[in-house]
Structures are given as structure tokens and as C-alpha cells.
Amino acid sequence: MSLLKIENLTAEVDGKPILKGIDLEINAGEVHVIMGPNGSGKSTLSNVLAGKSDYDVTGGTVTYDGKNLLDMAPEDRACEGLFLAFQYPVELPGVANTTFLKHALNARRKYVGEPELDALEFVKAVRKKARDLNMPDDMLKRPVNVGFSGGEKKRNEMLQMAVLEPKLAILDETDSGLDIDALKLVAEGVNALRNPDRAFLIITHFQRVLDYIVPDQVHVLSGGRIVKTGDKSLATELEKTGYADYTGEAAA
Amino acid sequence: MTGILQDLLRQRGASGRFEAEEALPTRKAEQWKYTDLMRLEKIGWSLWLAEDSHGVTRLPTVLPGLEKTIDIVIVNGFLDRDLSDLDHLPAGLSVEAGPAAEAWGDDFTDRLSDALTQEEICIRVDAGKTIEPVVHLHHVTWGADDEAAIAHAARVVITVAEGGEACIVESHAQVQGRGFSVPSLGISLEKGARLGLYSALLDSAGSAQIGLADIGLADGAVLDSFLLTLGEGLTRRETRLTMAGERAEATVAGAYVGSGDALIDNTTFVTHIAENAVSRQFFRGVVGDRSRGVFQGKVLVREGAQGTDGQQQHKALLLSREAEIDAKPELEIYADDVQCAHGATVGTLDEDQLFYLRARGISEADARALLTRSFLAEAVEKIGRTAVRDVFQAVLTARLGGVTE
Ligand SMILES: Nc1ncnc2c1ncn2[C@@H]1O[C@H](COP(=O)(O)OP(=O)(O)O)[C@@H](O)[C@H]1O
Ligand SMILES: [Mg+2]
């Protein structure tokens, strides 16, 4: 069953077209990978899907879990199970990590009509998930992302994903800037959540993450269009040849 | 037309140190540039007099959860002996009331409080004594009905003698009717004395308060103070701090939330006279609706006050287009070996932070409240006494639910 269906999506920032007709369909249970050169629109696509208002959708449709995604407020998208691990996570001074996670989880539970979690149970569950990601307990007490290293911020995004258990998780270059151990933890986090009802859209520059996560499809995004789709071998090929072949095609 | 100032003086039966035709200061006066008192005019304030009697039988709960307190109740500017805990004061603490005598400074607020104050309440902490429970000064306004407009001026003089220690919370609120209050607070901290002074200014819409706190610190005295201003009318608090003793330390922190047509004015004046004293001002405010926030903060370091460490910070958030902030930080330094800094910033909630929260499922309203609360919490965290800090934070959190765009 199709969980996400993007048809001819176009979007611009400050009047400048960035996405120039994206078509992409992801079924529940699948893992898709998007690769592409810098500036090709990968983060723009993620942000448009998450509902960031800086981006103007100028055409096309996005159907998520049978609903018109583009009509929904960002918080409703999240409550419906859409999750974006940001390429550049924001710092929230004065907001403790656990407080933030609790608000996020309870917002979603409230939305789907479940009771709020007991505070103690919640803390226990979060601690366990943090340890799985090799995050020290004090990172939970600290304000969200404040003073975190690049890698810690990425792991914190993964912790949020683990706690919120989304239906569709978009990882925007979560693997960038991680050492091999951290990368394995991220991959384990993704694999642990994989099930027939969930899907992942993994945006990356590097083939190496695919040593740990086996994708169903790999797409090349260039110049605001998906210019090629293939299986895992496409990623290996890209790693060798680079994007030069595709940038020309997109511009044409 | 002579306006409400002359009207109040007439009711008082004395003109104090005011000229026959003098009116409330206008915005032409340097000290009142940002705070327009015109909204006080045309309201028929009646000055509460010693012979008047009020109908307050029970205290309003303005700071829920504040435990173990010695309650001192001041209704319309006069000590209420029945409602106060005067009979079981701990050893080393005394509370007395008598006629106000002394004239304070020459500024408008000094002269106004001198002219209108009828009773002076003296609180004394004896040398070397630590008063463990919180002393709660309840300032309440009571009018015969909701329409009543009562003017009153309470003066509280606090002395913490050498090596003494106390924690005082003062709250200002209405029981019924609206008030125009001119509370003055004179505090002297003798050698090595320590005082926690936490104020909650919670007057309702249509009320006005022009308050003055004049605080002097002797050698090694320590002041930890906080001003929570949630007043919905006009609330001005002038804090005058004199660092008269060596190695004295003072924190003057504050947080405010403006909504509706509120005007919240924090005016501070810190004078460093002695060497090696430390003063820290740390204010955070948010203004929504059509409200206004004013911060006028001055640090004056006199000649000879070497080794002074004087810091001042005011940060504010605008939550609506019609809200306004006026900040005027000033440093005036006449000594060479000093460490002084000030900073004032005004901004809006960060869109990227808001989006980050919303992208995690938190509604826009909750996200705004959460960011606003954490912004103000950085000031509330300065409160040294944990139990008071928690109560103030809870009052603030409860109020923020009601802040509108
Ligand atoms: N918020 C923004 N404001 C202005 N330009 C933007 C913004 N976001 C992206 N862009 C522009 O859109 C293009 C695509 O950027 P982006 O989606 O971040 O690419 P990628 O993630 O593939 O590197 C770039 O030219 C970038 O400068
Ligand atoms: Mg990007």
C-alpha cells in the first residue's frame, strides 16, 4: 500500500523554483534512498513534506496515508506519524530534552486519543532508548541540542525518532559527520523500527550507510528532479562516478 | 485643571513637597519618557484614610503553594493586625506600625510616596538572627465594590541587622475594586546581612502602581531579589540600590509578562560607592497584545569604587505587532578598575525553533507558550530560594497559558 505519493511536486523559495516536478511513491514497509549533489533540493523536499512555511508549493500533490499532506499543519503531519530528522537540528535553550520529548510524545498520543504517559514510565523508556544510542543520561537533562556536537545533535534526532515511532521517517543527511560507530547506531535504530507498516526516506551523500541499511529503491535528485531510480547498485555506481552524469541531464 | 495629583493631595489634606499647580509628570520628563501616566487621570481615585474600614476577611491566594509563611497583611496601605501573624513572630523578628515621618529623595516618586503615605510599617531582623520561615507581605487593595477606585500608599521599612538573615516575599493584588498604589520599600542591610526579597506584582487591569524600593547594602551584605510583574494595568517599579559596603553583593532579577493594555516599567538605578561590590541585574520580559514594556536601567560607579563588578542585562520578546518595548540601559563610570557590562535586546520568537517544535507534533500555541516560558525561566532561575522559585515559576506558567497573540 502506498504510504507516500508525490506527484509532479513543484516548490520555490523567495520566488526561485527549487523543486521542478518530483514524482515519488513509497509503500509501507519500504526504505527509499535519495542521493544527489549539494543544492539539488533534497532538504527542500524534506522541509516541504514536514510543512515548513518558507517554501511555497506551486504545484503538484502529496498524498500521505490517504490524506492530502499539503493541507495539514506541521504539527498534524507529525501527529499523523511523519517525522523529519533535520539536517541542521535547532537548539532550544531553556527547554530540557526530556521535557521536549514528553511534550512531543503526549501531543501525538492526545491526537490519536491515547492517554498521556505516566512520567516515570516515560523517563525509563527514554533512558533505555538513549542508552541504545550511546547517549549519556545527562544529555536528556540538558536543553535540546544546546552545546551538543554535530554528531550528538544527529543522535538526538534519532532518539526522537525512536521515542515517537513514526510511520514515515525522513532522515536528511543524518549520517553526515558521524563516525563509523555512530553510523552503526543510527542504522540499528532504523532497522529496529523497520516493519511492514513503516517506511523510511533516507537522504544521504554516502553509499556507506547502505552497508548497514538495505534500501528498496535509490533515487538520484538533481536540479529539483528525480533523474534516475534504481536499486542498491545505483548507490555503489554513484559512489564511483559521482553526480557529473546527472547534473547535465537535469539542466537539459 | 489640576488633575488627580492635586485631587489626591487635597484628600490627604497636605500638599507635601508639591507646587500648588503641579500635575503628574508627563513624558517630557526624562524619567517618564516611556511611561505615560495620563491613563490615571479622569478616574475618580479616592484616597484611603486611616479612619476608613475595609471588608477583607480572608486573604486571597495569590501565590499558591508558598509554605511556612509569616503573613503580614497590608490593606489599602495600612497594617491589618487581625489578619497578620503578629502574635507568633519568631524570636529576632519584630513588626511595628506607626506614623510615617521621614522624607525620602526629591524625585517625583519619593515626593508622591512621602505625601500620600500615612503609616510606616517597620520590620526588623535582629543581629545574627536567621528567620527561617518566609515572611509574606500581602499588599491588597480593597474597594467597597468592583467599581471602587482606591488610592493608597504603604511604606515598609526593613532593617536586617548585622549578620541577620531573612526571606521576604511581597505580593500586590486586588481583592475587590481597582487600586492606584504607591508602595515604598526602604531596606537597609547591615554588615554581613542577607536578604531574599521576592516581589510579585499582580495588579488587575485598570489598576496602577508606582512603586519604589530603596535598598542600601553595607559591607559584605547580600541581596537576592526578584520582581515578577504580571500586572495588567500600569505597573512601575523603581529599584534604587546603593552598594555602600565593600564586597556587598546584589542580584536584581525580574521577569514580566504584558498582555492587554498593560504597561510594565522596571526602572533601576544602582550606585556603586564602595570597593569590590558586585551587582547583577537580569531582566527578561515578553509583551503581547497592545502591552508595553519599559526598562530603564542605570549603573553608576562612583570615583573610588574600584573593583566594582556591575552587570546588567535586559532581554525582551515581542509577541504581537502592536506590543512595544522601550529599553534604555546606561552605564556611568568614574572609577578605572571596574568590570561593567550591559546588554539589551528585543526580538521575536524564533521561527526555526517554533517549526522544530511543531514538526514534533506540538501545537503552535503550545510551542509558543513553551518557548516563551523557557525564555523567562532563565530569569526565574536566578531566585536563590528554591521553594519561592518554584512558586513563582508556577504562577508565571499559569499566566502564560493566557498570553494571546
Ligand atoms: N530557506 C531557504 N532560503 C533561500 N534559499 C534556499 C532555502 N532553502 C534552500 N534554498 C536554496 O534552494 C536550493 C536547494 O537547497 P537544498 O534543498 O538545501 O539542497 P540540498 O539539501 O540538496 O543540498 C539551494 O540553491 C539553496 O540555496
Ligand atoms: Mg540538504
Side-chain angles (χ1 to χ4, degrees):
Chain A
M1 200 206 88
S2 158
L3 183 58
L4 182 75
K5 189 167 189 185
I6 304 175
E7 286 175 295
N8 199 24
L9 180 68
T10 55
E12 57 184 46
V13 182
D14 301 334
K16 178 180 152 201
I18 311 285
L19 301 182
K20 297 172 185 164
I22 303 270
D23 289 290
L24 179 67
E25 184 166 2
I26 303 178
N27 293 315
E30 293 179 349
V31 174
H32 287 231
V33 167
I34 290 186
M35 302 181 84
N38 275 330
S40 59
K42 303 185 297 295
S43 293
T44 301
L45 176 63
S46 325
N47 281 312
V48 164
L49 294 176
K52 192 152 204 245
S53 60
D54 309 11
Y55 302 86
D56 298 318
V57 174
T58 47
T61 58
V62 180
T63 311
Y64 167 74
D65 209 9
K67 300 178 189 75
N68 177 355
L69 185 73
L70 301 176
D71 268 358
M72 296 162 73
E75 54 268 41
D76 293 341
R77 299 180 193 202
C79 289
E80 290 282 354
L82 182 95
F83 179 89
L84 168 61
F86 288 88
Q87 184 175 6
Y88 303 108
V90 171
E91 298 185 0
L92 302 175
V95 183
N97 224 349
T98 30
T99 311
F100 171 60
L101 284 166
K102 202 171 73 193
H103 280 298
L105 187 61
N106 280 335
R108 179 144 185 227
R109 291 178 71 96
K110 193 171 151 197
Y111 185 90
V112 298
E114 285 172 20
E116 296 199 349
L117 267 192
D118 170 77
L120 218 68
E121 266 176 57
F122 168 76
V123 170
K124 259 201 224 156
V126 169
R127 279 227 183 101
K128 156 117 192 23
K129 288 179 172 166
R131 290 208 183 108
D132 290 345
L133 284 159
N134 223 347
M135 286 169 69
D137 285 356
D138 84 292
M139 271 174 76
L140 294 173
K141 292 188 206 119
R142 279 160 59 189
V144 180
N145 295 327
V146 178
F148 288 21
S149 70
E152 285 173 338
K153 284 181 183 168
K154 297 295 179 70
R155 266 187 279 171
N156 206 27
E157 294 293 288
M158 288 300 93
L159 175 65
Q160 292 164 34
M161 181 178 80
V163 169
L164 296 173
E165 302 181 330
K167 257 189 246 170
L168 174 65
I170 304 166
L171 277 62
D172 190 359
E173 294 203 30
T174 302
D175 56 331
S176 294
L178 292 185
D179 60 32
I180 198 73
D181 292 331
L183 183 70
K184 279 187 198 164
L185 290 173
V186 167
E188 274 167 27
V190 169
N191 289 328
L193 281 182
R194 272 185 93 157
N195 77 18
D197 301 322
R198 289 204 178 96
F200 292 85
L201 178 59
I202 295 174
I203 294 169
T204 183
H205 261 300
F206 308 103
Q207 191 267 334
R208 62 171 192 170
V209 70
L210 305 180
D211 294 342
Y212 309 100
I213 301 171
V214 184
D216 294 287
Q217 286 187 34
V218 175
H219 312 274
V220 180
L221 182 69
S222 180
R225 287 192 187 92
I226 288 177
V227 293
K228 183 153 184 155
T229 293
D231 61 11
K232 196 188 163 187
S233 63
L234 177 57
T236 324
E237 181 193 318
L238 281 168
E239 186 94 338
K240 285 199 204 102
T241 60
Y243 298 108
D245 293 355
Y246 301 102
T247 40
E249 194 178 322
Chain B
M1 194 209 82
T2 51
I4 71 140
L5 176 61
Q6 294 300 330
D7 188 28
L8 289 171
L9 295 172
R10 216 172 302 120
Q11 295 182 53
R12 175 76 173 100
S15 56
R17 288 177 287 150
F18 287 99
E19 309 283 334
E21 297 290 308
E22 199 171 339
L24 294 177
T26 65
R27 297 184 61 183
K28 288 195 195 103
E30 179 69 18
Q31 278 297 301
W32 297 88
K33 195 171 162 192
Y34 305 113
T35 295
D36 192 343
L37 295 178
M38 286 311 115
R39 69 166 88 184
L40 296 179
E41 299 285 358
K42 297 197 191 78
I43 295 168
W45 300 107
S46 50
L47 183 69
W48 195 261
L49 300 168
E51 59 267 29
D52 295 331
S53 60
H54 68 76
V56 181
T57 48
R58 242 186 323 136
L59 288 180
T61 311
V62 287
L63 298 172
L66 191 63
E67 280 168 42
K68 258 201 350 176
T69 56
I70 297 163
D71 295 310
I72 310 287
V73 183
I74 300 159
V75 182
N76 294 345
F78 294 89
L79 176 68
D80 187 298
R81 294 172 182 281
D82 299 327
L83 293 171
S84 303
D85 287 333
L86 300 180
D87 297 337
H88 4 71
L89 295 178
L93 177 69
S94 62
V95 179
E96 279 157 23
E102 205 188 342
W104 286 17
D106 295 324
D107 286 351
F108 169 76
T109 308
D110 294 80
R111 291 185 293 137
L112 184 66
S113 81
D114 283 346
L116 300 184
T117 301
Q118 296 156 69
E119 185 177 84
E120 186 169 293
I121 298 151
C122 295
I123 300 176
R124 184 182 165 84
V125 176
D126 291 339
K129 293 281 192 227
T130 296
I131 308 304
E132 209 30 68
V134 173
V135 178
H136 185 170
L137 300 177
H138 300 257
H139 286 267
V140 297
T141 296
W142 181 88
D145 53 52
D146 288 339
E147 305 307 313
I150 307 295
H152 56 85
R155 176 163 292 178
V156 178
V157 175
I158 300 169
T159 306
V160 184
E162 191 170 332
E165 186 169 351
C167 175
I168 296 179
V169 167
E170 56 153 350
S171 61
H172 294 257
Q174 272 62 53
V175 173
Q176 197 167 285
R178 55 169 151 172
F180 170 28
S181 60
V182 187
S184 54
L185 196 53
I187 298 180
S188 111
L189 303 186
E190 294 179 1
K191 221 168 154 183
R194 304 175 80 89
L195 179 68
L197 176 71
Y198 310 112
S199 311
L201 312 185
L202 311 169
D203 290 322
S204 54
S207 290
Q209 174 169 155
I210 300 174
L212 174 61
D214 191 311
I215 307 169
L217 286 86
D219 288 356
V222 178
L223 171 75
D224 182 49
S225 71
F226 190 85
L227 267 168
L228 175 66
T229 312
L230 304 179
E232 296 167 320
L234 182 155
T235 311
R236 165 150 161 149
R237 171 62 69 105
E238 298 176 22
T239 303
R240 209 152 57 198
L241 205 60
T242 310
M243 308 302 287
E246 286 181 24
R247 289 176 313 282
E249 283 176 36
T251 300
V252 181
Y256 59 88
V257 178
S259 59
D261 294 303
L263 189 158
I264 294 170
D265 174 340
N266 282 294
T267 292
T268 64
F269 193 156
V270 178
T271 307
H272 280 266
I273 297 172
E275 289 184 11
N276 300 315
V278 180
S279 68
R280 302 244 175 276
Q281 297 180 58
F282 192 95
F283 282 84
R284 291 270 166 119
V286 299
V287 286
D289 301 328
R290 298 158 308 279
S291 67
R292 297 190 44 203
V294 175
F295 179 76
Q296 306 184 97
K298 180 162 177 174
V299 178
L300 168 66
V301 181
R302 291 254 186 91
E303 210 177 324
Q306 302 298 359
T308 288
D309 179 354
Q311 311 290 330
Q312 183 192 81
Q313 199 194 83
H314 173 259
K315 283 191 184 176
L317 288 179
L318 296 167
L319 300 181
S320 77
R321 281 169 195 275
E322 289 165 286
E324 196 181 311
I325 292 285
D326 295 290
K328 188 176 149 203
E330 274 182 285
L331 279 178
E332 207 175 307
I333 302 174
Y334 298 100
D336 42 32
D337 173 26
V338 299
Q339 249 190 308
C340 285
H342 64 187
T345 61
V346 179
T348 54
L349 284 177
D350 185 283
E351 288 299 324
D352 289 335
Q353 292 181 340
L354 270 176
F355 180 67
Y356 192 64
L357 290 163
R358 294 179 70 191
R360 294 296 176 253
I362 298 166
S363 73
E364 184 174 356
D366 287 348
R368 284 181 186 281
L370 185 62
L371 290 177
T372 307
R373 197 188 318 153
S374 44
F375 174 77
L376 295 172
E378 294 198 53
V380 181
E381 276 158 20
K382 304 282 174 193
I383 296 177
R385 179 108 166 196
T386 324
V388 176
R389 185 200 306 152
D390 293 346
V391 170
F392 274 45
Q393 184 61 59
V395 168
L396 187 56
T397 303
R399 164 57 75 88
L400 286 176
V403 177
T404 52
E405 270 290 292

